[in-house]
Amino acid sequence: MSDFINSFWPIYISVISAAGVFGCLLLLILTARKKVESAEDNTTGHVWDGDLRELNNPMPRWWMWLFVSTVVFATFYLIAYPGMGSYSGQLGWSQVGAYEKEVERAEAELAPLYASYNSMSAEEMSKDSAAMAIGANLFQNNCAQCHSSDARGGKSFPNLTDNDWLWGGNPEQIHATITNGRMGVMPPQAEAIGTPDDVRNLANYVLSLSGSPHDSAKASMGKDKFLVCSACHGPDGKGNQALGAPNLTDDIWLHGWGESLVIDMINNGKTNIMPPQAKENGGKLTPEQVNVLTAYVWSLSNKPNSAN
Ligand code: HEC
Ligand code: HEC
C-alpha cells in the first residue's frame, strides 16, 4: 500500500535518500584519494599563536571505518525497512502493522480480565469499580464524540443518563444498540395529515401531551389527527421501543421542542443513525468490550456507581 498521491514523490524521496548515502561514500573516497599539497615537514603551512602548526595527516582509520559502517548500516536499513519511496522493505514492517500488533498485545493482556466479566451480569459488573473504570474509558474513546463526555448527549444525540429510552434501557436492549447500531426513521407525515393548519393543530396537540406551552383550542382540533401518529408513537403518545419511536408525553425532546420544530418534524420526518460499534459489524469493539460498555451505560441510569 502506498500513501503517496502520485508517482513523482516516491521517486523524489528515493533519489534524495540514495544520493545522501552514496554521496557520503563518494566524498570519503574522493578526499582519501586527493593529496593536498603540503610542505616538506607534512604541515599545511598554517601557523597560529606563533608556533601552532596544522599537520596534514590522513583521517584516523577508526574514524573512516565508523563512517563506512554508517553507510553500510544505512544501505541494509533501506533494504530492510520502508525508506525508499513506496518500496515497503524486506521485513514488511509498517506503522499500521506495528500499531495493530500493539493493539493485539494489549487485547491479549486484557483477555483474562475481560473473561472474568463475561460471566457477570450487567448489574454485577456495575458494582465492580475496575469494570466501570474500563467502561468509562471505552465510553470516552468511542461514544463521547456523539453522546458527550458526561453521556448527557445533545440535540439529536440521546441522553444516556436519564430513564427515557428510544430503544430500551435494559441490558439486552443496550447491548443490541451498541452491537448493531440503530436507525430511527420517521417518514414525512404532512400528506397524511392535510393542510398546514391541520399540521399546526396537531403540533399543538402533541405539545399538550407533555404539558408543554401550547394553544389548547388548536390542540383539541388536532387531536383526531394523532391517529396517524399513534401507529408508531402509540395511542397515548408514550412511544414504542420496538421502532425507536420516542415518548411524546415526557417533555424530553431529542430534536428540540416548540410548535415550529414539531411542525417541521411532521412535515419532513427524521432519520437518525447510531452506527454499529461491534467489530463484527464494522465497528471497533470486541464482544467483551461491548459487554463492559453495556454495563457501564446501564449503570448511568441505575444507581450510578454508588455501590462502591
Ligand atoms: C456517530 C455518533 C454516535 C456514536 C459514535 C455513538 N452513538 Fe449512540 N447513538 C447515536 C444516535 C444518533 C442515537 C439515536 C438513534 C436514534 O435516534 O434512534 C444513539 C443511540 C444510542 C443508544 C440508545 C438510546 C436510547 O434512548 O435508546 C445507546 C444506548 C447508545 N447510543 C450508546 C452508545 C454507546 C455506548 C456508544 C459507544 C460505544 C455510542 N452510542 C456511540 C449516535 C452515536
Ligand atoms: C413510522 C413511524 C412513525 C410515525 C407514523 C410517526 N413517527 Fe414521529 N417519530 C418516529 C421515530 C422513529 C422518531 C425518532 C426519530 C429519531 O430517531 O430521531 C420520531 C420522532 C418524532 C418527534 C421528535 C421527538 C423528539 O423527542 O424530538 C416528534 C415530535 C414526532 N415524532 C411526532 C410525530 C407526529 C406528530 C406524528 C404523526 C403525524 C408522527 N410523529 C408519526 C416514528 C414515527
Side-chain angles (χ1 to χ4, degrees):
M1 190 194 73
S2 171
D3 295 330
F4 293 104
I5 47 172
N6 68 37
S7 59
F8 169 76
W9 294 108
I11 295 171
Y12 177 79
I13 287 171
S14 305
V15 167
I16 289 187
S17 307
V21 173
F22 294 104
C24 283
L25 202 57
L26 202 66
L27 195 68
L28 192 66
I29 294 168
L30 287 181
T31 51
R33 285 236 175 113
K34 188 158 187 273
K35 214 53 199 131
V36 178
E37 296 280 313
S38 71
E40 291 292 298
D41 58 356
N42 193 33
T43 69
T44 57
H46 298 153
V47 180
W48 292 274
D49 293 347
D51 61 348
L52 264 182
R53 279 166 302 133
E54 185 185 8
L55 288 179
N56 187 25
N57 283 336
M59 283 181 281
R61 283 276 134 162
W62 67 264
W63 192 91
M64 243 184 64
W65 285 119
L66 194 69
F67 202 96
V68 171
S69 63
T70 60
V71 172
V72 172
F73 174 82
T75 309
F76 278 106
Y77 187 92
L78 286 177
I79 292 171
Y81 289 98
M84 302 291 270
S86 44
Y87 168 65
S88 59
Q90 288 293 317
L91 296 184
W93 185 93
S94 72
Q95 280 185 350
V96 174
Y99 168 77
E100 280 171 358
K101 243 186 226 150
E102 228 170 88
V103 169
E104 241 169 58
R105 210 196 52 225
E107 280 177 4
E109 258 171 38
L110 287 174
L113 185 61
Y114 278 122
S116 68
Y117 297 140
N118 267 349
S119 55
M120 287 192 193
S121 70
E123 192 171 353
E124 285 165 337
M125 248 189 283
S126 73
K127 292 181 185 131
D128 182 314
S129 55
M132 289 303 94
I134 294 176
N137 263 335
L138 289 171
F139 190 88
Q140 294 308 325
N141 289 332
N142 297 283
C143 324
Q145 71 268 40
C146 290
H147 292 283
S148 99
S149 54
D150 60 4
R152 288 178 191 280
K155 194 164 183 296
S156 302
F157 298 106
N159 182 344
L160 304 178
T161 68
D162 59 10
N163 261 310
D164 177 57
W165 296 94
L166 296 163
W167 300 97
N170 70 38
E172 292 75 39
Q173 291 162 317
I174 295 173
H175 190 277
T177 300
I178 299 174
T179 304
N180 305 318
R182 296 287 193 184
M183 184 161 84
V185 180
M186 165 156 160
Q189 303 292 318
E191 264 178 49
I193 301 306
T195 66
D197 273 344
D198 291 334
V199 171
R200 185 174 302 274
N201 292 341
L202 175 59
N204 275 280
Y205 174 71
V206 169
L207 290 168
S208 77
L209 291 174
S210 53
S212 305
H214 64 280
D215 179 321
S216 41
K218 284 182 184 151
S220 58
M221 285 190 280
K223 188 171 192 288
D224 289 347
K225 297 283 186 187
F226 193 74
L227 197 63
V228 177
C229 323
S230 63
C232 295
H233 291 281
D236 50 5
K238 288 200 188 305
N240 180 347
Q241 293 183 346
L243 299 168
N247 183 344
L248 301 176
T249 69
D250 60 4
D251 204 21
I252 296 175
W253 302 91
L254 184 58
H255 301 292
W257 67 278
E259 188 186 73
S260 62
L261 275 160
V262 176
I263 289 175
D264 194 50
M265 188 66 68
I266 297 170
N267 285 337
N268 303 316
K270 193 82 178 179
T271 299
N272 206 30
I273 294 173
M274 149 119 176
Q277 303 292 310
K279 243 183 198 163
E280 68 206 64
N281 293 325
K284 286 199 213 123
L285 305 174
T286 64
E288 291 78 16
Q289 290 174 322
V290 173
N291 280 347
V292 174
L293 259 174
T294 299
Y296 176 75
V297 171
W298 182 85
S299 78
L300 296 175
S301 51
N302 292 275
K303 49 180 166 48
N305 297 344
S306 57
N308 45 118

mmCIF file of all heavy atoms in Angstrom, residues 271-308:
data_model
loop_
_atom_site.group_PDB
_atom_site.id
_atom_site.type_symbol
_atom_site.label_atom_id
_atom_site.label_comp_id
_atom_site.label_asym_id
_atom_site.label_seq_id
_atom_site.Cartn_x
_atom_site.Cartn_y
_atom_site.Cartn_z
ATOM 1 N N THR A 271 -34.520 11.021 9.978
ATOM 2 C CA THR A 271 -33.758 9.775 10.049
ATOM 3 C C THR A 271 -32.538 10.051 10.906
ATOM 4 O O THR A 271 -31.802 11.004 10.640
ATOM 5 C CB THR A 271 -33.308 9.320 8.648
ATOM 6 O OG1 THR A 271 -34.470 9.105 7.854
ATOM 7 C CG2 THR A 271 -32.516 8.020 8.723
ATOM 8 N N ASN A 272 -32.371 9.252 11.951
ATOM 9 C CA ASN A 272 -31.292 9.495 12.902
ATOM 10 C C ASN A 272 -30.538 8.194 13.121
ATOM 11 O O ASN A 272 -31.148 7.190 13.462
ATOM 12 C CB ASN A 272 -31.896 10.001 14.223
ATOM 13 C CG ASN A 272 -30.926 10.854 15.002
ATOM 14 O OD1 ASN A 272 -30.089 11.526 14.428
ATOM 15 N ND2 ASN A 272 -31.042 10.828 16.315
ATOM 16 N N ILE A 273 -29.219 8.226 12.905
ATOM 17 C CA ILE A 273 -28.471 6.970 12.883
ATOM 18 C C ILE A 273 -27.412 6.896 13.966
ATOM 19 O O ILE A 273 -26.632 7.831 14.159
ATOM 20 C CB ILE A 273 -27.782 6.791 11.510
ATOM 21 C CG1 ILE A 273 -28.852 6.617 10.437
ATOM 22 C CG2 ILE A 273 -26.851 5.573 11.513
ATOM 23 C CD1 ILE A 273 -28.307 6.606 9.033
ATOM 24 N N MET A 274 -27.410 5.768 14.675
ATOM 25 C CA MET A 274 -26.282 5.415 15.531
ATOM 26 C C MET A 274 -25.545 4.292 14.819
ATOM 27 O O MET A 274 -26.108 3.232 14.576
ATOM 28 C CB MET A 274 -26.792 4.946 16.886
ATOM 29 C CG MET A 274 -25.901 3.932 17.530
ATOM 30 S SD MET A 274 -25.241 4.477 19.081
ATOM 31 C CE MET A 274 -24.371 2.987 19.555
ATOM 32 N N PRO A 275 -24.272 4.516 14.430
ATOM 33 C CA PRO A 275 -23.537 3.469 13.694
ATOM 34 C C PRO A 275 -23.225 2.278 14.595
ATOM 35 O O PRO A 275 -23.025 2.456 15.793
ATOM 36 C CB PRO A 275 -22.245 4.166 13.268
ATOM 37 C CG PRO A 275 -22.250 5.521 13.883
ATOM 38 C CD PRO A 275 -23.469 5.710 14.696
ATOM 39 N N PRO A 276 -23.179 1.064 14.018
ATOM 40 C CA PRO A 276 -22.833 -0.115 14.813
ATOM 41 C C PRO A 276 -21.431 0.036 15.386
ATOM 42 O O PRO A 276 -20.556 0.598 14.740
ATOM 43 C CB PRO A 276 -22.875 -1.272 13.816
ATOM 44 C CG PRO A 276 -23.208 -0.714 12.499
ATOM 45 C CD PRO A 276 -23.388 0.752 12.603
ATOM 46 N N GLN A 277 -21.215 -0.474 16.612
ATOM 47 C CA GLN A 277 -19.918 -0.293 17.267
ATOM 48 C C GLN A 277 -19.135 -1.589 17.397
ATOM 49 O O GLN A 277 -17.951 -1.571 17.709
ATOM 50 C CB GLN A 277 -20.129 0.317 18.664
ATOM 51 C CG GLN A 277 -20.880 1.638 18.652
ATOM 52 C CD GLN A 277 -20.082 2.742 18.011
ATOM 53 O OE1 GLN A 277 -18.918 2.961 18.337
ATOM 54 N NE2 GLN A 277 -20.681 3.437 17.069
ATOM 55 N N ALA A 278 -19.784 -2.731 17.198
ATOM 56 C CA ALA A 278 -19.095 -4.012 17.378
ATOM 57 C C ALA A 278 -18.215 -4.304 16.177
ATOM 58 O O ALA A 278 -18.575 -3.979 15.043
ATOM 59 C CB ALA A 278 -20.102 -5.132 17.586
ATOM 60 N N LYS A 279 -17.059 -4.921 16.443
ATOM 61 C CA LYS A 279 -16.116 -5.293 15.397
ATOM 62 C C LYS A 279 -16.800 -6.099 14.298
ATOM 63 O O LYS A 279 -16.569 -5.876 13.117
ATOM 64 C CB LYS A 279 -14.980 -6.124 15.995
ATOM 65 C CG LYS A 279 -13.639 -5.454 15.874
ATOM 66 C CD LYS A 279 -12.526 -6.322 16.415
ATOM 67 C CE LYS A 279 -11.310 -5.424 16.660
ATOM 68 N NZ LYS A 279 -10.336 -6.041 17.539
ATOM 69 N N GLU A 280 -17.645 -7.052 14.737
ATOM 70 C CA GLU A 280 -18.289 -7.929 13.757
ATOM 71 C C GLU A 280 -19.166 -7.139 12.776
ATOM 72 O O GLU A 280 -19.488 -7.620 11.700
ATOM 73 C CB GLU A 280 -19.142 -8.974 14.498
ATOM 74 C CG GLU A 280 -20.349 -8.340 15.190
ATOM 75 C CD GLU A 280 -20.853 -9.118 16.401
ATOM 76 O OE1 GLU A 280 -20.097 -9.222 17.388
ATOM 77 O OE2 GLU A 280 -21.985 -9.603 16.365
ATOM 78 N N ASN A 281 -19.540 -5.911 13.139
ATOM 79 C CA ASN A 281 -20.380 -5.102 12.250
ATOM 80 C C ASN A 281 -19.627 -3.907 11.680
ATOM 81 O O ASN A 281 -20.229 -2.926 11.245
ATOM 82 C CB ASN A 281 -21.622 -4.597 12.997
ATOM 83 C CG ASN A 281 -22.548 -5.736 13.366
ATOM 84 O OD1 ASN A 281 -22.675 -6.692 12.619
ATOM 85 N ND2 ASN A 281 -23.184 -5.638 14.513
ATOM 86 N N GLY A 282 -18.312 -3.964 11.739
ATOM 87 C CA GLY A 282 -17.521 -2.880 11.163
ATOM 88 C C GLY A 282 -17.117 -1.810 12.165
ATOM 89 O O GLY A 282 -16.487 -0.826 11.802
ATOM 90 N N GLY A 283 -17.482 -1.983 13.433
ATOM 91 C CA GLY A 283 -17.059 -1.036 14.463
ATOM 92 C C GLY A 283 -15.705 -1.451 15.029
ATOM 93 O O GLY A 283 -14.960 -2.195 14.400
ATOM 94 N N LYS A 284 -15.392 -0.941 16.237
ATOM 95 C CA LYS A 284 -14.071 -1.188 16.791
ATOM 96 C C LYS A 284 -14.080 -2.123 17.991
ATOM 97 O O LYS A 284 -13.035 -2.571 18.437
ATOM 98 C CB LYS A 284 -13.465 0.148 17.264
ATOM 99 C CG LYS A 284 -13.006 1.040 16.149
ATOM 100 C CD LYS A 284 -12.028 2.069 16.702
ATOM 101 C CE LYS A 284 -12.133 3.375 15.961
ATOM 102 N NZ LYS A 284 -12.423 4.509 16.805
ATOM 103 N N LEU A 285 -15.239 -2.408 18.550
ATOM 104 C CA LEU A 285 -15.265 -3.054 19.857
ATOM 105 C C LEU A 285 -15.372 -4.574 19.788
ATOM 106 O O LEU A 285 -16.147 -5.112 18.998
ATOM 107 C CB LEU A 285 -16.449 -2.505 20.665
ATOM 108 C CG LEU A 285 -16.489 -0.987 20.830
ATOM 109 C CD1 LEU A 285 -17.780 -0.557 21.504
ATOM 110 C CD2 LEU A 285 -15.290 -0.524 21.643
ATOM 111 N N THR A 286 -14.581 -5.235 20.640
ATOM 112 C CA THR A 286 -14.687 -6.685 20.763
ATOM 113 C C THR A 286 -15.959 -7.006 21.555
ATOM 114 O O THR A 286 -16.488 -6.137 22.262
ATOM 115 C CB THR A 286 -13.477 -7.256 21.532
ATOM 116 O OG1 THR A 286 -13.508 -6.726 22.864
ATOM 117 C CG2 THR A 286 -12.168 -6.867 20.872
ATOM 118 N N PRO A 287 -16.445 -8.257 21.469
ATOM 119 C CA PRO A 287 -17.643 -8.624 22.222
ATOM 120 C C PRO A 287 -17.481 -8.354 23.718
ATOM 121 O O PRO A 287 -18.439 -7.928 24.387
ATOM 122 C CB PRO A 287 -17.787 -10.131 21.965
ATOM 123 C CG PRO A 287 -17.056 -10.381 20.692
ATOM 124 C CD PRO A 287 -15.962 -9.365 20.613
ATOM 125 N N GLU A 288 -16.259 -8.575 24.239
ATOM 126 C CA GLU A 288 -16.031 -8.342 25.669
ATOM 127 C C GLU A 288 -16.166 -6.861 25.995
ATOM 128 O O GLU A 288 -16.723 -6.483 27.029
ATOM 129 C CB GLU A 288 -14.630 -8.821 26.078
ATOM 130 C CG GLU A 288 -14.442 -10.327 26.050
ATOM 131 C CD GLU A 288 -14.242 -10.873 24.640
ATOM 132 O OE1 GLU A 288 -13.952 -10.075 23.721
ATOM 133 O OE2 GLU A 288 -14.388 -12.094 24.461
ATOM 134 N N GLN A 289 -15.638 -6.019 25.098
ATOM 135 C CA GLN A 289 -15.742 -4.570 25.341
ATOM 136 C C GLN A 289 -17.201 -4.120 25.285
ATOM 137 O O GLN A 289 -17.623 -3.270 26.061
ATOM 138 C CB GLN A 289 -14.895 -3.808 24.317
ATOM 139 C CG GLN A 289 -13.397 -4.000 24.549
ATOM 140 C CD GLN A 289 -12.551 -3.358 23.458
ATOM 141 O OE1 GLN A 289 -12.900 -3.385 22.285
ATOM 142 N NE2 GLN A 289 -11.421 -2.790 23.848
ATOM 143 N N VAL A 290 -17.967 -4.712 24.372
ATOM 144 C CA VAL A 290 -19.396 -4.360 24.292
ATOM 145 C C VAL A 290 -20.089 -4.724 25.607
ATOM 146 O O VAL A 290 -20.905 -3.958 26.125
ATOM 147 C CB VAL A 290 -20.070 -5.058 23.090
ATOM 148 C CG1 VAL A 290 -21.580 -4.832 23.113
ATOM 149 C CG2 VAL A 290 -19.489 -4.564 21.774
ATOM 150 N N ASN A 291 -19.727 -5.887 26.173
ATOM 151 C CA ASN A 291 -20.329 -6.292 27.444
ATOM 152 C C ASN A 291 -20.059 -5.283 28.551
ATOM 153 O O ASN A 291 -20.963 -4.892 29.288
ATOM 154 C CB ASN A 291 -19.762 -7.649 27.893
ATOM 155 C CG ASN A 291 -20.427 -8.789 27.168
ATOM 156 O OD1 ASN A 291 -21.461 -8.595 26.523
ATOM 157 N ND2 ASN A 291 -19.844 -9.963 27.264
ATOM 158 N N VAL A 292 -18.791 -4.865 28.658
ATOM 159 C CA VAL A 292 -18.436 -3.933 29.723
ATOM 160 C C VAL A 292 -19.132 -2.585 29.500
ATOM 161 O O VAL A 292 -19.661 -1.978 30.438
ATOM 162 C CB VAL A 292 -16.901 -3.756 29.801
ATOM 163 C CG1 VAL A 292 -16.537 -2.685 30.808
ATOM 164 C CG2 VAL A 292 -16.236 -5.074 30.169
ATOM 165 N N LEU A 293 -19.173 -2.147 28.228
ATOM 166 C CA LEU A 293 -19.832 -0.873 27.929
ATOM 167 C C LEU A 293 -21.335 -0.935 28.224
ATOM 168 O O LEU A 293 -21.920 0.034 28.695
ATOM 169 C CB LEU A 293 -19.636 -0.519 26.457
ATOM 170 C CG LEU A 293 -18.558 0.513 26.185
ATOM 171 C CD1 LEU A 293 -18.360 0.679 24.700
ATOM 172 C CD2 LEU A 293 -18.919 1.862 26.811
ATOM 173 N N THR A 294 -21.931 -2.080 27.937
ATOM 174 C CA THR A 294 -23.355 -2.249 28.230
ATOM 175 C C THR A 294 -23.611 -2.011 29.718
ATOM 176 O O THR A 294 -24.509 -1.255 30.095
ATOM 177 C CB THR A 294 -23.817 -3.671 27.847
ATOM 178 O OG1 THR A 294 -23.624 -3.859 26.452
ATOM 179 C CG2 THR A 294 -25.269 -3.885 28.202
ATOM 180 N N ALA A 295 -22.763 -2.646 30.541
ATOM 181 C CA ALA A 295 -22.928 -2.484 31.987
ATOM 182 C C ALA A 295 -22.700 -1.029 32.396
ATOM 183 O O ALA A 295 -23.419 -0.481 33.232
ATOM 184 C CB ALA A 295 -21.957 -3.402 32.724
ATOM 185 N N TYR A 296 -21.695 -0.397 31.753
ATOM 186 C CA TYR A 296 -21.402 0.994 32.102
ATOM 187 C C TYR A 296 -22.576 1.907 31.758
ATOM 188 O O TYR A 296 -23.020 2.713 32.582
ATOM 189 C CB TYR A 296 -20.135 1.455 31.375
ATOM 190 C CG TYR A 296 -19.820 2.914 31.596
ATOM 191 C CD1 TYR A 296 -19.289 3.340 32.807
ATOM 192 C CD2 TYR A 296 -20.076 3.863 30.607
ATOM 193 C CE1 TYR A 296 -19.020 4.667 33.035
ATOM 194 C CE2 TYR A 296 -19.807 5.205 30.828
ATOM 195 C CZ TYR A 296 -19.283 5.599 32.039
ATOM 196 O OH TYR A 296 -19.028 6.922 32.260
ATOM 197 N N VAL A 297 -23.102 1.750 30.548
ATOM 198 C CA VAL A 297 -24.224 2.606 30.132
ATOM 199 C C VAL A 297 -25.451 2.326 31.019
ATOM 200 O O VAL A 297 -26.131 3.253 31.456
ATOM 201 C CB VAL A 297 -24.571 2.385 28.635
ATOM 202 C CG1 VAL A 297 -25.866 3.088 28.265
ATOM 203 C CG2 VAL A 297 -23.431 2.872 27.753
ATOM 204 N N TRP A 298 -25.683 1.059 31.296
ATOM 205 C CA TRP A 298 -26.815 0.700 32.165
ATOM 206 C C TRP A 298 -26.667 1.368 33.527
ATOM 207 O O TRP A 298 -27.621 1.886 34.089
ATOM 208 C CB TRP A 298 -26.881 -0.825 32.298
ATOM 209 C CG TRP A 298 -28.029 -1.310 33.122
ATOM 210 C CD1 TRP A 298 -29.307 -1.539 32.704
ATOM 211 C CD2 TRP A 298 -28.018 -1.622 34.525
ATOM 212 N NE1 TRP A 298 -30.091 -1.968 33.746
ATOM 213 C CE2 TRP A 298 -29.320 -2.031 34.877
ATOM 214 C CE3 TRP A 298 -27.029 -1.593 35.516
ATOM 215 C CZ2 TRP A 298 -29.674 -2.411 36.175
ATOM 216 C CZ3 TRP A 298 -27.372 -1.964 36.822
ATOM 217 C CH2 TRP A 298 -28.680 -2.371 37.133
ATOM 218 N N SER A 299 -25.419 1.384 34.040
ATOM 219 C CA SER A 299 -25.195 1.929 35.386
ATOM 220 C C SER A 299 -25.480 3.432 35.452
ATOM 221 O O SER A 299 -25.786 3.955 36.512
ATOM 222 C CB SER A 299 -23.752 1.671 35.835
ATOM 223 O OG SER A 299 -22.864 2.603 35.225
ATOM 224 N N LEU A 300 -25.396 4.101 34.294
ATOM 225 C CA LEU A 300 -25.559 5.562 34.302
ATOM 226 C C LEU A 300 -26.952 5.969 34.757
ATOM 227 O O LEU A 300 -27.148 7.047 35.324
ATOM 228 C CB LEU A 300 -25.285 6.139 32.903
ATOM 229 C CG LEU A 300 -23.858 5.968 32.385
ATOM 230 C CD1 LEU A 300 -23.739 6.452 30.950
ATOM 231 C CD2 LEU A 300 -22.869 6.711 33.283
ATOM 232 N N SER A 301 -27.944 5.125 34.484
ATOM 233 C CA SER A 301 -29.303 5.476 34.894
ATOM 234 C C SER A 301 -29.819 4.541 35.991
ATOM 235 O O SER A 301 -30.972 4.619 36.377
ATOM 236 C CB SER A 301 -30.240 5.437 33.683
ATOM 237 O OG SER A 301 -30.108 4.213 32.998
ATOM 238 N N ASN A 302 -28.951 3.634 36.480
ATOM 239 C CA ASN A 302 -29.352 2.730 37.559
ATOM 240 C C ASN A 302 -28.381 2.824 38.719
ATOM 241 O O ASN A 302 -27.289 2.294 38.646
ATOM 242 C CB ASN A 302 -29.406 1.284 37.051
ATOM 243 C CG ASN A 302 -30.531 1.079 36.055
ATOM 244 O OD1 ASN A 302 -31.668 0.826 36.419
ATOM 245 N ND2 ASN A 302 -30.200 1.208 34.780
ATOM 246 N N LYS A 303 -28.794 3.496 39.754
ATOM 247 C CA LYS A 303 -27.957 3.774 40.940
ATOM 248 C C LYS A 303 -26.468 3.865 40.572
ATOM 249 O O LYS A 303 -25.683 2.949 40.825
ATOM 250 C CB LYS A 303 -28.181 2.749 42.057
ATOM 251 C CG LYS A 303 -28.134 1.274 41.614
ATOM 252 C CD LYS A 303 -28.370 0.391 42.816
ATOM 253 C CE LYS A 303 -28.682 -1.046 42.514
ATOM 254 N NZ LYS A 303 -27.897 -1.792 41.591
ATOM 255 N N PRO A 304 -26.092 5.002 40.006
ATOM 256 C CA PRO A 304 -24.767 5.170 39.392
ATOM 257 C C PRO A 304 -23.621 4.980 40.367
ATOM 258 O O PRO A 304 -23.334 5.828 41.179
ATOM 259 C CB PRO A 304 -24.783 6.595 38.831
ATOM 260 C CG PRO A 304 -25.907 7.271 39.541
ATOM 261 C CD PRO A 304 -26.865 6.213 39.967
ATOM 262 N N ASN A 305 -22.931 3.821 40.262
ATOM 263 C CA ASN A 305 -21.660 3.544 40.920
ATOM 264 C C ASN A 305 -21.647 3.774 42.437
ATOM 265 O O ASN A 305 -20.589 3.862 43.023
ATOM 266 C CB ASN A 305 -20.550 4.406 40.310
ATOM 267 C CG ASN A 305 -20.341 4.061 38.859
ATOM 268 O OD1 ASN A 305 -20.793 3.014 38.388
ATOM 269 N ND2 ASN A 305 -19.668 4.926 38.130
ATOM 270 N N SER A 306 -22.824 3.895 43.044
ATOM 271 C CA SER A 306 -22.816 4.237 44.462
ATOM 272 C C SER A 306 -22.419 3.031 45.320
ATOM 273 O O SER A 306 -22.071 3.182 46.471
ATOM 274 C CB SER A 306 -24.198 4.740 44.887
ATOM 275 O OG SER A 306 -25.158 3.745 44.587
ATOM 276 N N ALA A 307 -22.470 1.843 44.697
ATOM 277 C CA ALA A 307 -22.206 0.628 45.466
ATOM 278 C C ALA A 307 -20.775 0.550 45.980
ATOM 279 O O ALA A 307 -20.484 -0.192 46.890
ATOM 280 C CB ALA A 307 -22.507 -0.613 44.626
ATOM 281 N N ASN A 308 -19.874 1.281 45.364
ATOM 282 C CA ASN A 308 -18.533 1.281 45.931
ATOM 283 C C ASN A 308 -18.072 2.689 46.058
ATOM 284 O O ASN A 308 -17.247 3.309 45.980
ATOM 285 C CB ASN A 308 -17.583 0.343 45.189
ATOM 286 C CG ASN A 308 -17.648 0.421 43.698
ATOM 287 O OD1 ASN A 308 -16.702 0.761 43.079
ATOM 288 N ND2 ASN A 308 -18.745 0.148 43.040
#
